Amino acid sequence: MEIEFAGAAREVTGSCHILRIGGRTVLLDCGMFQGHRSEAREKNAVLPVEVREIDAVVLSHAHIDHAGRLPLLTAHGYANPIYCTAATRDLAAVMLADSAHIQEKDAEFLTRRHKEAVAPLYGMRDATSAVDRMVGLPYDTTFDVAPGVRATFSDAGHILGSASVALDCVEEGRRLRIVFSGDVGRNGLPIIRDPHPPEGADVVLLESTYGNRDHPPVAGARDELARIISETAARGGRVLVPAFSVGRTQELVYDLHILAREGRIPAIPIYIDSPLAIDATTVFAMHPEIFDQTEDLVRRVQDLFTFPLVRYTREASESKALNTQRGPMVIIAASGMAEAGRILHHLTHGAPDPRNTILIVGFQAEHTLGRRIVERAPMLRVFGDDVPLRARVEVLGGYSAHGDRHELQGWLDRVRSGGRSGTGGEVPRVYLVHGEPDAQDDFAEQLQRAGYPSVLAPTPHQRIVL
Ligand SMILES: [Zn+2]
Ligand SMILES: [Zn+2]
């Protein structure tokens, strides 16, 4: 048995791990690399492994850094199953279509710029055939992935449909339980249930996005959101929120719904300015079976995502019209790291105005415009132009969909102690993935102090014999 860390190794994006067992090859995720445009483009174009070698793919969740290169596989003839949860399949349908559209636009742009034909990474047809390969399965039900590999999804509590995967592997009579964390969420996130770690593991592939950080509690985020909106509205400004269309946007709408019901925000319009977010919201509404039934609003309200202040702007013309509209408002638009999407034209217009607030609610990777905003760079580069940053910048860590270092360790401790009820279980070997080097190095030390003697953060394409 062998595992190769083909993506999200010493970095956050491009999640992809190749498991080789008894002559079979199983891919865990096949995500897009993000960040430096030309560098990411180059990395994304390389297939992690020959398509004819892949027997199956197991997908943890629909975020593009986990699912974004699946259409590249189908473009190269991949026709075997892609196993995921039902909600992940439905979300992936809208996200991969959007991604294909972005790839096509990107290629057009580069073709114009370089005056020679640049082919898109993949197109709409490839995205559709990737979704056709997806098999939607329930949580907590074991299924066959390939001969010698059985898998069980458990709720990762990160976005709708997100899963951690326990892989029970057998090779020549030897058994090994490998747990892939996927992205680990947090207790108390809106709408979705709390993370439910698999029980017991010999090997854990653990995400480490926030391996060196502490988050403020989820509970305080809604209060902060109310404060920021009220203060900005009082200045006559607008709140611009770059947000992932899938997950974060719905959580914000949900919390704004609660705040509006309780009369804790002024009655200003809230624009969800992203076609993808609108489609994803429809998918959310289709899967109430996996909502967190312990939450008040979930139990009491039939339609979580509709209330008098919220407006969904699908058309580009509606989006542009917001630039000339007067008065305070909230605009939630993609992309989450302000690398693309409609948030860019809102930033061009809104960043120079000190009455406005740019509200950051998610992780901002290195070399992204979002990271520049978090660092409060005096000048932003948007669409090739310099845009002064005079708006206020607020960072709300409470909305993070990723556990912090304590929550990640708590998740791992539960995997370990679940192995043998109450006795502490075997100590699994831990491979840290999905984190930048600083976060991983600190987190590895923390885990070693906490009684995990074998912790390693593999480098890209490192192969480990299990
Ligand atoms: Zn994710
Ligand atoms: Zn991720």
Side-chain angles (χ1 to χ4, degrees), residues 89-101:
R89 183 199 55 209
D90 293 345
L91 282 177
V94 296
M95 297 190 71
L96 294 181
D98 180 72
S99 177
H101 183 70

Side-chain angles (χ1 to χ4, degrees), residues 12-13 15 61 63 65-66 158 183 209 402 434:
V12 171
T13 66
S15 179
H61 64 291
H63 274 152
D65 62 315
H66 296 257
H158 167 69
D183 286 359
T209 316
H402 291 270
H434 202 288

Side-chain angles (χ1 to χ4, degrees), residues 84-87 135-143 151-154 163 193 290:
C84 57
T85 66
V135 182
L137 294 161
Y139 289 109
D140 306 314
T141 303
T142 302
F143 58 94
T152 315
F153 290 127
S154 58
R193 297 179 298 201
I290 50 173

Side-chain angles (χ1 to χ4, degrees), residues 39-205:
E39 198 184 298
R41 217 187 133 71
E42 238 168 72
K43 284 160 82 173
N44 283 328
V46 181
L47 282 169
V49 59
E50 286 293 333
V51 159
R52 60 184 153 74
E53 289 176 30
I54 308 169
D55 293 284
V57 180
V58 179
L59 173 64
S60 65
H61 64 291
H63 274 152
I64 226 65
D65 62 315
H66 296 257
R69 285 199 298 159
L70 291 169
L72 189 64
L73 298 186
T74 46
H76 283 79
Y78 180 74
N80 286 336
I82 298 169
Y83 297 106
C84 57
T85 66
T88 292
R89 183 199 55 209
D90 293 345
L91 282 177
V94 296
M95 297 190 71
L96 294 181
D98 180 72
S99 177
H101 183 70
I102 292 171
Q103 298 306 322
E104 286 168 345
K105 287 272 163 224
D106 222 37
E108 274 172 33
F109 172 79
L110 290 172
T111 299
R112 274 199 308 276
R113 190 159 154 199
H114 299 312
K115 301 198 168 51
E116 58 177 283
V118 176
L121 189 60
Y122 53 77
M124 197 61 81
R125 199 181 303 165
D126 307 315
T128 308
S129 46
V131 177
D132 286 344
R133 305 319 314 152
M134 290 185 183
V135 182
L137 294 161
Y139 289 109
D140 306 314
T141 303
T142 302
F143 58 94
D144 288 312
V145 175
V149 185
R150 287 169 70 70
T152 315
F153 290 127
S154 58
D155 202 325
H158 167 69
I159 62 160
L160 193 81
S162 66
S164 303
V165 193
L167 297 141
D168 289 298
C169 308
V170 187
E171 190 183 58
E172 290 168 9
R174 187 170 157 252
R175 289 173 184 283
L176 200 75
R177 187 169 168 90
I178 301 168
V179 163
F180 172 42
S181 70
D183 286 359
V184 177
R186 314 176 66 196
N187 289 350
L189 284 178
I191 312 166
I192 56 172
R193 297 179 298 201
D194 293 348
H196 174 69
E199 295 182 350
D202 301 296
V203 172
V204 178
L205 273 55

